[in-house]
Amino acid sequence: MTKVITIRKGLNINMKGSADKVIQPLQPQFFAIKPTDFTGIFPKLLVEEGSTVKAGTPIFFDKYNEQVLFTSPVSGKVSAINRGLRRVIEEIVIERDQVQQFESFPQSNPETLSSEKIKELLLQSGNWPSIRQRPYGIIANPHHTPDAIFISAFDTAPLAPDYDFLLHEKGEAFQTGIDALKKLTAAPIYLNIHQTETNAKEFLDINGVMINRFKGPHPSGNVGIQIHHIRPVNKGDIIWHINPVDVVVIGRLFLEGRYNTESLFALAGSEVINTRYFKTYKGALITPMIDNNTREGKLRFISGNVLTGKKISAEGYIGYYHRMVTVIPEGDYYSFFGWLKPGFNTFSDHYAFPSKILFPNKGYRLDTNLHGGHRSFIMSGEYESVLPMDIMPVQLLKAILAKDIELMEQLGIYEVDEEDFALCEVICTSKTEVQSIIREGLDLMRKEMS
């Protein structure tokens, strides 16, 4: 029986520049896979500059779990291996072939395969990193068996892509991917959809999952919030989660016998002239998307959404887990007596501004300005108003800063990830980098408990 869950706490940030449902094919010359997209791994290269690769050829593996391979999204030649401080590998750049070639994997019905064979194919093809786990927000350990698998079929973040649109006419691959995931565990697979906005038959007609309906403001689309309300993570539990688009990629592995990451990626934001969806592969260079397609001025390019995405340059690449590129103005300016202005055009969650009362659904051209500097960390009850989880967020953050392992456990560190606290960071009066603190706590727990 379908369960309806209402999320009452949260905040919808209405921004200008949502992506029009227009699809444009895009085949940039360069693609990249970035080890920095993956939390908690230590990459060991399997290629060098000049190496020829196919889509699905291993590029590097995790030193701490050599089974987990990271493979090329396209065929071509490794043109650069870019390193940062202390020679940390930041990008492996691949110059794309004109005609794509794919590594061959067995075509098969996952229902006829053993769980070990399915796991082996997912690891060899490079699909495994798309499966992540709670606690810690890291790539799932293939040696573990999860207590549940979660898939969120909608996204409530600002300007987020429409997953009904992303999965249009991909029902067969999505179902095949679900069939493969089912063989990895006897635990349930939860497919979570929006109460009113999810209408695609690709989600509604799926077999082998437990469907739950959510309604309410952001972050109701976050998989961590959904896990909290359906199957909370306690100490010792392992919950896996995966994006619906990656389920399609897994399905293609068994239907086509190849690692095919082609999908739609949204280009959105107030500074984009023609917003739309681009059809390309993971790790695409964003330059052809934005070339002659952005407004003048100093701009911020983000791989992902404005709350949890990563800042990239105009010559940057889409992150492994991201389905969109957002372009907004930089906020490198000071607002003279900004706190004295009436605030009719100011986005705020506080009723002190008329815009909150008079224009609740207005779209805003928001930038990166913090509108203030870092202040003392105070108890205000702000975080609780936008975090729909039964935890005490300020106390948890203070326990992390104090590195109190036992208290962090008691306050729910195993349930959370950075994205769950993104709204807390947005409304924070103290301008505290809340997401960074959460990641610090998760890394500390993983180190202490491993």
Side-chain angles (χ1 to χ4, degrees), residues 2-58:
T2 301
K3 185 177 181 181
V4 179
I5 300 169
T6 301
I7 302 298
R8 303 192 185 280
K9 296 180 178 180
L11 176 65
N12 287 327
I13 301 176
N14 300 317
M15 297 181 62
K16 293 181 179 180
S18 59
D20 292 332
K21 292 183 179 178
V22 176
I23 299 175
Q24 178 177 330
L26 178 72
Q27 295 299 336
Q29 184 179 2
F30 295 99
F31 291 75
I33 182 166
K34 299 181 282 188
T36 52
D37 286 340
F38 310 100
T39 300
I41 71 155
F42 191 100
K44 301 292 287 185
L45 285 174
L46 295 170
V47 296
E48 58 187 16
E49 289 189 16
S51 296
T52 300
V53 297
K54 297 180 180 179
T57 298

Side-chain angles (χ1 to χ4, degrees), residues 163 166-167 174 242-250 252 261-265 282 323:
Y163 276 86
L166 294 185
L167 262 71
F174 186 64
I242 183 172
N243 188 282
V245 176
D246 290 320
V247 177
V248 170
V249 177
I250 289 175
R252 287 176 181 157
T261 66
E262 187 176 58
S263 182
L264 299 181
F265 297 84
K282 279 188 176 183
R323 309 294 162 194

Side-chain angles (χ1 to χ4, degrees), residues 143-202:
H143 301 294
H144 294 163
T145 301
D147 298 298
I149 299 177
F150 277 76
I151 304 168
S152 178
F154 68 102
D155 192 342
T156 51
L159 305 177
D162 181 348
Y163 276 86
D164 280 17
F165 191 61
L166 294 185
L167 262 71
H168 182 60
E169 296 185 346
K170 297 180 177 65
E172 182 184 9
F174 186 64
Q175 181 66 69
T176 303
I178 292 291
D179 294 340
L181 293 172
K182 281 173 54 183
K183 297 298 292 285
L184 298 180
T185 178
I189 298 178
Y190 295 101
L191 177 65
N192 304 314
I193 64 176
H194 194 276
Q195 168 71 353
T196 58
E197 296 178 7
T198 300
N199 299 301
K201 60 182 174 52
E202 288 81 2

Side-chain angles (χ1 to χ4, degrees), residues 261-282:
T261 66
E262 187 176 58
S263 182
L264 299 181
F265 297 84
L267 175 64
S270 61
E271 305 313 289
V272 179
I273 298 172
N274 295 309
T275 61
R276 61 190 57 203
Y277 288 81
F278 288 91
K279 189 175 185 179
T280 187
Y281 297 97
K282 279 188 176 183

Side-chain angles (χ1 to χ4, degrees), residues 8 15 64 84 90 148 182 189-190 208 222 265 340 353 426 429:
R8 303 192 185 280
M15 297 181 62
Y64 300 113
E90 294 185 339
K182 281 173 54 183
I189 298 178
Y190 295 101
N222 283 12
F265 297 84
L340 284 177
F353 289 87
V426 169
T429 306

